[in-house]
Amino acid sequence: MQMIEKTLGEVLEDNVRKWPDKEFIIFSDRNLNFTYSEFDRRVNNLAKGLKAIGLKKGDHLGIWATNVPDWLTFAFATAKIGVVLVTVNTNYKTHELEYLVNNADLHTLCIIGGFRDSDYVNMVYELVPELRTHQRGHLVSEKFPYLKNVVFIGPEKHRGMFNTQELILLGEHIDDEQLNACKKNLHCHEVINMQYTSGTTGFPKGVMLTHHNILNNGFGIGECQKFTDKERVCLPVPLFHCFGIVLGVMAILTHGGTTILTESFDPVMVLASVQKEKATALYGVPTMFIAELNHPMFPMFDLSSLRTGIMAGSPCPIDVMRKVIEKMNMKDVTIAYGLTENSPVMTQTRTDDPIEVKVSTVGRELPEIEVNILDPETGKECPPDVQGEICCRGYSLMKGYYKNPQATAEVIDKEGWLHSGDLGVKTKDGYFKVTGRIKDMIIRGGENIYPREIEEFLYTMPGIKDIQVAGVASEKYGEQVGAFIIKKEGVNICEEDVIDFCRGKISRFKIPKYVFFVENYPMTASGKIQKYKLREMALEILKEKKIKVV
């Protein structure tokens, strides 16, 4: 693979020269689109506007928003002036936002009105009451010494905040000379993007990623799907996560394709966007594809334009994969695996891999990335089909965790291997399989149990729509197996049915001791199931039912 030695802005401007009138971004639900040249012009004006309110190279700008049209304008505008874009989880509440604004040393925070039950504007006023009294651009906050600006993404005016339109208009009246000087002073190995890990354990940490990291990872991801400049990719996944911005936007940008965005996930909106815009690729976590396939309006949509896409975030049951291939026409669908600290993808299946490979493995290494299975105890390479920790190294490794060299040293060893925390094996054919997470592994009376194995087995039981397995604390065994099941609509199955289904088919110690029927799973905003919350939920349910944990 020929490495891209350019900045985000340079790659965008290359595309403007090649395809000025080609659509780069489409919002199908509001008939809004930007060609490459229109988008670049908007980016340049916003970049100049941001400079005018005091942002300079190395400053941090946070974006707290769903996939609104100007999300990407901010992403590219900051990249062109060397400002680090810090993505903020849309599900954050006040205490989480407070932690991030402080930890990331945000200079500017950009927000929308809110999401679901969260009113972002009022939450920011609660955290930064000085906004109501200080002149815009001259904020002095007792709690956040670095914070100088808050920007509202949209036309509305809020006391103490700039809005997007004002900044773009401001930029229109500024000569390009300053912007050009900024661009000349940039290097592709500088940090341009900071994403906070989901924080499923401990405090979230800011992962520092460079132009070089995300552009090259995006290019490799697109190559695995055989992307061309004719690609039209529907992205219903959040842009604040690597799935959206790297697997999606960077893969599209580096191939000169078109991005079809939805502001947030809605199965009908996704299906309608695919049909209307003749999308060639569709992304999502398995639960998204399940929601689309199971929607009563699914048969009404023409998905014949689809060819490929990515399913990632959690393992895909074989039945779901078959339906995606057969009913959604995605014969070239791929599975990708990685972690934010690796920009993020390290392995991916290829379009011509058979379905068995796509559901039982996470594919092979991306070009220019080394992936290895290392023994967690000795650090030595494991032979084929022997379980160890999945580790990787290469161009894609993060610069480190922001202001946290100790945590960085804990995950990147002296040999340069990034330790994923996931258990896996490498087959004799060179494919990687994820067998569990080191912390997700259930240890019952000295027996190691891997949740994935039980999940795949129980998924074959009629009446089960989705299944997650996690350890439940036990006084006697250390941990017992807990199964968390979402039933198919109209199906009546009970705990005894599940246990009977297992008897004689899997080892006795693997049969769930506890079966819980749930409506949904606790997830991170990027679609990863939080198993530690399932463990907590199990203990609460057992306590309510007055069942003694043994």
Side-chain angles (χ1 to χ4, degrees):
M1 180 175 106
Q2 183 69 40
M3 301 299 283
I4 300 167
E5 302 288 340
K6 294 182 177 182
T7 65
L8 262 68
E10 287 170 331
V11 175
L12 174 61
E13 288 165 10
D14 284 349
N15 288 358
V16 172
R17 284 186 287 273
K18 288 180 199 168
W19 306 288
D21 300 322
K22 179 192 279 190
E23 292 168 319
F24 176 42
I25 298 169
I26 294 173
F27 280 86
S28 188
D29 63 328
R30 60 199 80 180
N31 286 322
L32 175 68
N33 61 57
F34 294 106
T35 65
Y36 272 101
S37 58
E38 288 167 343
F39 179 70
D40 189 53
R41 195 157 47 247
R42 191 170 181 85
V43 165
N44 288 341
N45 287 329
L46 181 58
K48 290 184 287 183
L50 291 172
K51 272 194 67 63
I53 62 167
L55 281 137
K56 60 189 184 302
K57 184 178 179 180
D59 284 340
H60 291 180
L61 177 144
I63 182 162
W64 194 24
T66 53
N67 297 357
V68 292
D70 271 323
W71 201 107
L72 288 175
T73 319
F74 277 96
F76 282 85
T78 49
K80 283 202 181 194
I81 58 174
V83 167
V84 179
L85 182 83
V86 182
T87 59
V88 185
N89 190 317
T90 52
N91 291 325
Y92 271 9
K93 301 297 183 188
T94 310
H95 73 282
E96 294 159 317
L97 180 68
E98 180 178 353
Y99 169 82
L100 185 143
V101 174
N102 254 328
N103 186 266
D105 298 328
L106 288 192
H107 176 285
T108 297
L109 174 64
C110 305
I111 66 169
I112 56 171
F115 179 56
R116 293 183 179 150
D117 61 342
S118 295
D119 184 329
Y120 291 180
V121 174
N122 280 334
M123 287 163 82
V124 170
Y125 279 138
E126 182 186 329
L127 284 177
V128 195
E130 297 93 342
L131 268 178
R132 295 187 185 275
T133 55
H134 285 202
Q135 186 184 344
R136 295 185 308 174
H138 298 277
L139 177 66
V140 179
S141 168
E142 185 182 339
K143 198 178 281 184
F144 309 108
Y146 283 89
L147 190 64
K148 300 301 171 195
N149 304 303
V150 176
V151 176
F152 185 81
I153 306 171
E156 293 91 340
K157 292 182 183 290
H158 295 279
R159 186 176 290 277
M161 302 183 195
F162 294 100
N163 69 25
T164 321
Q165 274 72 357
E166 289 171 333
L167 296 182
I168 289 172
L169 189 61
L170 188 60
E172 283 176 5
H173 292 92
I174 297 172
D175 192 86
D176 283 347
E177 195 177 316
Q178 284 185 30
L179 178 58
N180 292 334
C182 281
K183 291 193 290 187
K184 284 176 187 171
N185 194 30
L186 301 180
H187 193 276
C188 69
H189 291 286
E190 290 168 337
V191 174
I192 205 62
N193 186 271
M194 202 155 92
Q195 303 194 23
Y196 273 73
T197 55
S198 303
T200 49
T201 56
F203 288 104
K205 297 178 282 292
V207 176
M208 298 186 288
L209 303 175
T210 67
H211 300 266
H212 194 259
N213 287 149
I214 64 176
L215 280 168
N216 285 289
N217 203 245
F219 180 73
I221 290 159
E223 289 292 283
C224 288
Q225 298 171 82
K226 296 185 178 171
F227 272 8
T228 70
D229 60 14
K230 303 291 190 292
E231 235 55 66
R232 297 170 69 82
V233 186
C234 184
L235 285 184
V237 294
L239 290 170
F240 71 78
H241 184 263
C242 274
F243 199 174
I245 195 65
V246 182
L247 282 74
V249 177
M250 294 302 129
I252 297 160
L253 176 76
T254 53
H255 288 84
T258 299
T259 313
I260 303 160
L261 283 167
T262 60
E263 199 164 306
S264 56
F265 177 71
D266 176 88
V268 172
M269 187 64 69
V270 172
L271 296 167
S273 296
V274 168
Q275 174 178 299
K276 184 182 175 189
E277 305 302 338
K278 294 184 168 48
T280 60
L282 173 63
Y283 284 20
V285 296
T287 50
M288 289 179 173
F289 284 102
I290 291 168
E292 289 151 13
L293 287 160
N294 288 340
H295 198 281
M297 292 173 70
F298 177 81
M300 296 170 58
F301 294 98
D302 177 7
L303 309 178
S304 59
S305 61
L306 285 174
R307 173 186 66 83
T308 187
I310 295 179
M311 210 181 294
S314 59
C316 176
I318 192 164
D319 182 52
V320 175
M321 178 64 81
R322 281 210 176 95
K323 286 177 180 171
V324 166
I325 291 170
E326 292 164 10
K327 295 187 174 183
M328 301 182 79
N329 202 48
M330 293 174 63
K331 61 185 186 303
D332 292 344
V333 66
T334 66
I335 297 285
Y337 163 76
L339 63 162
T340 307
E341 291 87 339
N342 190 57
S343 304
V345 174
M346 65 173 89
T347 68
Q348 191 171 350
T349 59
R350 305 318 198 245
T351 57
D352 53 358
D353 282 330
I355 185 171
E356 292 75 19
V357 168
K358 290 179 180 177
V359 294
S360 64
T361 82
V362 289
R364 292 172 280 133
E365 306 99 318
L366 257 60
E368 309 297 329
I369 297 177
E370 289 182 82
V371 183
N372 215 338
I373 306 293
L374 302 181
D375 186 309
E377 298 296 323
T378 66
K380 291 182 179 174
E381 183 178 346
C382 295
D385 297 318
V386 172
Q387 181 175 264
E389 185 177 14
I390 304 173
C391 300
C392 68
R393 65 184 176 188
Y395 73 83
S396 49
L397 257 62
M398 65 173 177
K399 283 277 191 179
Y401 294 122
Y402 183 60
K403 298 191 305 188
N404 202 336
Q406 183 182 339
T408 305
E410 286 169 8
V411 295
I412 301 175
D413 67 25
K414 290 175 183 176
E415 303 298 319
W417 291 107
L418 170 67
H419 290 252
S420 70
D422 286 331
L423 293 166
V425 298
K426 184 178 183 178
T427 69
K428 291 181 176 69
D429 298 329
Y431 288 90
F432 290 87
K433 293 183 176 184
V434 180
T435 51
R437 182 152 177 84
I438 287 175
K439 289 183 179 127
D440 281 353
M441 183 173 70
I442 301 166
I443 304 177
R444 181 190 181 275
E447 290 281 0
N448 290 355
I449 301 169
Y450 303 106
R452 175 78 192 270
E453 181 186 351
I454 304 169
E455 288 162 2
E456 284 291 343
F457 169 74
L458 278 174
Y459 202 89
T460 65
M461 179 178 174
I464 290 181
K465 181 179 175 182
D466 210 347
I467 164 79
Q468 292 294 319
V469 169
V472 179
S474 161
E475 290 176 12
K476 184 176 180 182
Y477 294 102
E479 283 182 300
Q480 291 275 23
V481 177
F484 300 78
I485 292 167
I486 298 175
K487 291 189 273 192
K488 286 182 179 172
E489 212 168 314
V491 168
N492 186 23
I493 52 175
C494 63
E495 293 174 28
E496 289 74 23
D497 296 328
V498 175
I499 292 163
D500 285 344
F501 184 79
C502 295
R503 282 199 182 105
K505 294 174 186 168
I506 59 173
S507 300
R508 212 170 73 200
F509 66 85
K510 293 180 184 174
I511 296 174
K513 169 76 175 173
Y514 305 108
V515 178
F516 307 98
F517 294 102
V518 297
E519 296 295 318
N520 48 50
Y521 300 122
M523 287 189 177
T524 66
S526 56
K528 288 187 178 178
I529 291 159
Q530 295 170 301
K531 292 211 172 184
Y532 78 104
K533 285 195 176 177
L534 289 177
R535 296 188 193 106
E536 292 168 3
M537 186 195 303
L539 294 176
E540 286 171 18
I541 294 169
L542 293 171
K543 189 177 177 182
E544 283 171 13
K545 291 184 175 180
K546 297 184 178 173
I547 297 172
K548 192 177 179 213
V549 179
V550 292

